[in-house]
Amino acid sequence: MLLLRIRQASTHRPLASLLTGQRMYSSAQRPATIQVLGSAHSTDSWTNATSAILEKTGRNLLHQESHPLSILKSLIFKEFPDFAHYDSLSPVVSAYQNFDSLGFASDHPGRSQTDTYYINQNTLLRTHTSAHQLQLLEAGRKGDTDLLAQAKNGQAAPGNERFLVAADVYRRDEIDASHYPVFHQMEGVCTFTRDELRQAQAPELKHAKSKLIDSTVISDSNPKQAEHTAEELELLSAHMKRTMNSMVTQVLARAVEAQKKAGEPVQQEFPVRWIDAYFPFTSPSWEMEVLFRGEWLEICGCGVMKQSILDAAGMKDRVGWAFGFGLERLAMLLFGIPDIRLFWSTDPRFATQFAPEQISLFRPFSKHPPCPKDVSFWLPETQFHENDLMDLVRNAAGDLVEDVRLVDSFIHPKTGRSSRCYRINYCSMDRNVTHAEINQIQEQVRGQLVEQLGVTLR
């Protein structure tokens, strides 16, 4: 389940039109195979997963007990004791798993090379944990012992009728303090036979001062599926919302304990509101927001599972709901972490601040001045996509880049050519950088802009 509302294609486009401007590998530069987690994969014209991204696939932040993301994962796992728990599934999935099995249209923008890291046309780095929904449902029905054995707490749901998936996901995106090309999601799926649904009991709210705001209605824009009765929809949505309300308020209550220890003002209640949303693989769909530290925080996307997914898994007798959210966004607020790059830091001044199963507020250990550099160029005649620029900068400078911003653009009145100027803020999280060091990286960026993206420098 994607945390953010998925963009819908405004027009239908042929598959070939999704091959937009991606030239991270020319045919001459592209290796015949690339290694991902020890396995060799053939490459083709779709290959755009760079070495900087592939190096992240084995970091396993969710398995480091004292890491904030692992701490948050463990806290959420404990809120679902009757679910199977998965946190070791490979990030390498098929295009079918990531898109087709979930009902993504063939022209959906998420399939584009500008949005997704492809190993080859049929294989990619998952963009969301929902890529495993059908796989795990089928494994439960068929008794796939190899896959079921990867579950922690598998005895609680031996047929994967209920499961959580925590995993790293990969998307080409902008560069700033809250966006990173690799982040982590938590996925939850809960299914019932229709008889079980009528008997199901949702958890009691664990925080008595949770105020619920829910004015959502079923409508043509957020419809009931034809396969479900009105009663089934009501039971599914009520069970899901009560379960999510309980889980989120319990986790936030743990954050209040950290506020107390730090001597900060303590929040006494956690208002929750529900908003209509759209996802290709649930209907109706909602987003859940919680008022935390004075701001409405978008926690998750969720909804009633598309019956077509359960049918494809051979589970026509079951109905269900699903949710998903990004761990980084919630962890940044709970732990007070200001820059998403810090999650990948190996600096002991970061790592030693946290302990397993405890939420504690981050204490800044350094602040180094940024070293801004501008780059201006004329756009190529072929299509230009900003995510190609972001990936190129990341590949050249790694985590030395704090953010990249468009500071100027114009169209020449006589030639009609378009010009862009981007400001790249270089800033290390743990040391000062020199202009000589950054100038060398900047020249590499400028050269690769010409070579790989076909721009004309100004």
Side-chain angles (χ1 to χ4, degrees):
M1 176 75 65
L2 300 179
L3 169 65
L4 300 179
R5 183 176 288 107
I6 300 172
R7 293 174 295 159
Q8 299 182 60
S10 57
T11 59
H12 290 286
R13 297 174 293 161
L15 186 61
S17 71
L18 296 177
L19 294 166
T20 52
Q22 172 54 268
R23 285 183 278 180
M24 299 308 291
Y25 288 116
S26 68
S27 58
Q29 295 174 321
R30 186 174 61 242
T33 62
I34 56 177
Q35 293 282 329
V36 187
L37 295 174
S39 297
H41 298 267
S42 60
T43 64
D44 57 25
S45 61
W46 283 72
T47 304
N48 65 353
T50 63
S51 58
I53 294 301
L54 296 177
E55 287 170 358
K56 303 291 187 185
T57 57
R59 288 288 300 274
N60 296 325
L61 301 186
L62 293 178
H63 296 169
Q64 300 171 23
E65 290 186 343
S66 296
H67 193 283
L69 296 176
S70 180
I71 294 169
L72 180 55
K73 175 205 73 174
S74 296
L75 291 176
I76 295 170
F77 275 1
K78 285 190 173 183
E79 292 300 308
F80 293 87
D82 58 344
F83 282 51
H85 301 158
Y86 291 88
D87 64 1
S88 300
L89 299 175
S90 171
V92 179
V93 299
S94 67
Y96 174 81
Q97 287 176 289
N98 202 80
F99 300 119
D100 300 293
S101 72
L102 297 165
F104 279 71
S106 61
D107 60 352
H108 193 283
R111 295 178 183 262
S112 171
Q113 287 175 292
T114 57
D115 281 25
T116 295
Y117 288 108
Y118 282 90
I119 296 170
N120 55 50
Q121 183 174 0
N122 298 314
T123 311
L124 53 94
L125 296 175
R126 64 186 163 222
T127 65
H128 51 181
T129 45
S130 298
H132 300 289
Q133 263 192 29
L134 181 59
Q135 176 191 20
L136 291 174
L137 290 169
E138 286 184 323
R141 182 182 63 81
K142 296 177 180 178
D144 183 341
T145 54
D146 289 340
L147 189 53
L148 294 172
Q150 295 186 44
K152 299 177 179 178
N153 202 40
Q155 72 282 356
N160 272 351
E161 56 270 26
R162 298 173 301 277
F163 60 80
L164 297 179
V165 177
D168 47 342
V169 298
Y170 300 76
R171 293 188 207 161
R172 305 184 73 217
D173 210 342
E174 59 194 290
I175 300 177
D176 60 32
S178 61
H179 291 85
Y180 203 80
V182 190
F183 59 105
H184 297 77
Q185 283 188 338
M186 177 75 74
E187 175 97 3
V189 166
C190 184
T191 71
F192 312 84
T193 66
R194 285 171 164 84
D195 287 339
E196 289 172 345
L197 177 61
R198 294 183 181 92
Q199 303 299 320
Q201 297 292 322
E204 292 296 322
L205 286 178
K206 298 179 180 179
H207 197 282
K209 296 185 178 180
S210 298
K211 178 183 178 182
L212 305 182
I213 305 169
D214 187 359
S215 58
T216 59
V217 295
I218 306 304
S219 65
D220 291 342
S221 61
N222 200 19
K224 176 183 78 69
Q225 298 172 55
E227 297 92 337
H228 302 152
T229 67
E231 179 192 20
E232 289 166 350
L233 172 57
E234 177 62 29
L235 290 171
L236 282 167
S237 61
H239 189 278
M240 178 196 71
K241 289 180 179 181
R242 194 172 183 89
T243 301
M244 298 307 298
N245 290 339
S246 177
M247 181 273 290
V248 169
T249 55
Q250 182 70 359
V251 170
L252 294 181
R254 293 290 298 269
V256 167
E257 298 175 12
Q259 289 178 314
K260 288 180 179 178
K261 291 180 181 179
E264 294 190 358
V266 173
Q267 184 168 336
Q268 298 297 327
E269 64 177 10
F270 301 104
V272 174
R273 69 182 181 188
W274 292 87
I275 299 172
D276 289 320
Y278 167 81
F279 304 104
F281 32 87
T282 54
S283 185
S285 304
W286 299 276
E287 287 173 350
M288 178 190 190
E289 296 185 345
V290 177
L291 189 63
F292 185 62
R293 295 179 182 168
E295 296 185 6
W296 284 103
L297 168 64
E298 183 181 313
I299 295 291
C300 73
C302 54
V304 176
M305 292 178 66
K306 284 287 183 70
Q307 196 61 36
S308 57
I309 298 174
L310 289 163
D311 291 352
M315 302 172 72
K316 294 184 178 182
D317 61 327
R318 302 188 77 86
V319 293
W321 54 261
F323 74 86
F325 61 90
L327 292 175
E328 273 85 349
R329 188 173 187 182
L330 184 54
M332 289 176 79
L333 284 159
L334 297 181
F335 292 88
I337 294 172
D339 191 320
I340 197 169
R341 293 179 298 165
L342 282 164
F343 289 117
W344 296 89
S345 175
T346 57
D347 192 316
R349 292 175 294 176
F350 176 79
T352 57
Q353 291 193 33
F354 308 103
E357 300 189 17
Q358 296 181 28
I359 294 179
S360 54
L361 295 182
F362 169 69
R363 301 183 305 277
F365 52 82
S366 64
K367 178 59 180 176
H368 300 283
C371 181
K373 299 289 180 181
D374 289 355
V375 58
S376 301
F377 51 83
W378 298 105
L379 297 186
E381 294 182 2
T382 55
Q383 188 169 355
F384 172 85
H385 198 288
E386 198 169 77
N387 280 352
D388 291 341
L389 166 67
M390 301 296 174
D391 235 30
L392 185 151
V393 173
R394 280 194 180 100
N395 209 40
D399 287 347
L400 286 179
V401 181
E402 183 176 59
D403 60 55
V404 178
R405 300 178 184 177
L406 178 66
V407 294
D408 187 45
S409 65
F410 74 93
I411 298 176
H412 194 284
K414 293 184 178 180
T415 65
R417 296 189 71 184
S418 295
S419 173
R420 300 269 181 93
C421 177
Y422 287 89
R423 179 157 298 151
I424 306 173
N425 278 313
Y426 297 92
C427 182
S428 172
M429 294 177 290
D430 51 22
R431 64 181 178 85
N432 283 316
V433 294
T434 66
H435 279 282
E437 174 188 10
I438 299 306
N439 285 341
Q440 185 175 358
I441 296 174
Q442 183 74 355
E443 284 306 306
Q444 182 181 351
V445 168
R446 288 169 57 86
Q448 290 180 358
L449 280 169
V450 174
E451 179 184 352
Q452 298 181 18
L453 303 187
V455 308
T456 301
L457 296 175
R458 297 184 58 212

